[in-house]
Amino acid sequence: MSALPLLYLRSRALLVTAAALAGTVLLAAWSAYWLQEQPRFDHTARVPVVVLAPLLAAAAIGTGLHSHSEELDRASARRWWPRLLLHLLVATALVAGALAAAVPGHPEAFGAPAMVRNVLGSTGVTAASAALFGARSSWLPMTVYGGAVYLAAPDVPGGAAALWAWPLQPGPESGAWLVAGAAYAAGAALLAVRGPGRTR
């Protein structure tokens, strides 16, 4: 590995981010397994795992975008945004795959598809927040939104709720996928254009 990518990864505290993401995946897998073993289990019992694990993962990815050498990044002769975008895409893909494997079964409801969708949407909102408010506080908007949706979403999925309460929709809900995908695309684009907001 050349010195430049290595310096980039070290400036983003990659090992700390990787440890946080691994812990999130392990906790999600244990929680999903524990819920599955409970009496009267059905797929809706895993809703907290499908909602909270992507929030934690997105928070780790977002704060991992913080650089301890912002001025060096901006003064670099090479463009920094391709590395930043690659960082976001690789982290999202790895976490989405690992968390999808943590919730086996019921793919049509609150299983792997819902987990992947929520990772995409949560990470997209967090990436946009990193660009607008700085990486260190990027976890806050999606956490507040996710908590509010968790409390306010209707019991019956679909309809208009599929758009504003997308984290609590079953896996096949197309409206929820549309919103989550758009959030990820917008967040990645905003991060590539602006970079993480300056830390004050």
Side-chain angles (χ1 to χ4, degrees):
M1 181 178 285
S2 65
L4 191 59
L6 187 59
L7 286 173
Y8 173 85
L9 294 176
R10 289 183 64 186
S11 73
R12 260 69 184 184
L14 176 67
L15 291 179
V16 176
T17 302
L21 292 173
T24 300
V25 171
L26 291 174
L27 180 62
W30 177 84
S31 300
Y33 176 79
W34 182 81
L35 287 169
Q36 199 164 359
E37 294 300 307
Q38 300 308 301
R40 300 180 186 173
F41 170 84
D42 70 359
H43 63 274
T44 59
R46 288 185 300 188
V47 169
V49 178
V50 173
V51 173
L52 295 177
L55 284 179
L56 293 174
I61 292 171
T63 54
L65 295 170
H66 172 73
S67 174
H68 296 283
S69 56
E70 289 179 1
E71 297 303 325
L72 289 176
D73 285 350
R74 296 180 189 279
S76 173
R78 296 189 181 186
R79 294 178 298 173
W80 49 266
W81 70 263
R83 293 189 297 274
L84 193 62
L85 190 57
L86 182 63
H87 175 166
L88 180 69
L89 295 174
V90 169
T92 304
L94 291 175
V95 170
L99 284 177
V103 285
H106 298 290
E108 76 286 355
F110 294 99
M115 184 68 88
V116 171
R117 180 201 62 218
N118 286 356
V119 169
L120 288 175
S122 298
T123 305
V125 173
T126 302
S129 301
L132 296 173
F133 310 120
R136 286 185 170 172
S137 57
S138 62
W139 58 273
L140 188 56
M142 186 60 210
T143 301
V144 171
Y145 178 74
V149 165
Y150 190 81
L151 295 175
D155 293 333
V156 179
L163 302 179
W164 65 267
W166 54 267
L168 277 90
Q169 299 300 303
E173 190 63 54
S174 58
W177 273 98
L178 180 64
V179 174
Y184 189 77
L190 193 59
L191 186 68
V193 170
R194 293 177 54 100
R198 291 178 179 268
T199 303
R200 291 179 173 81

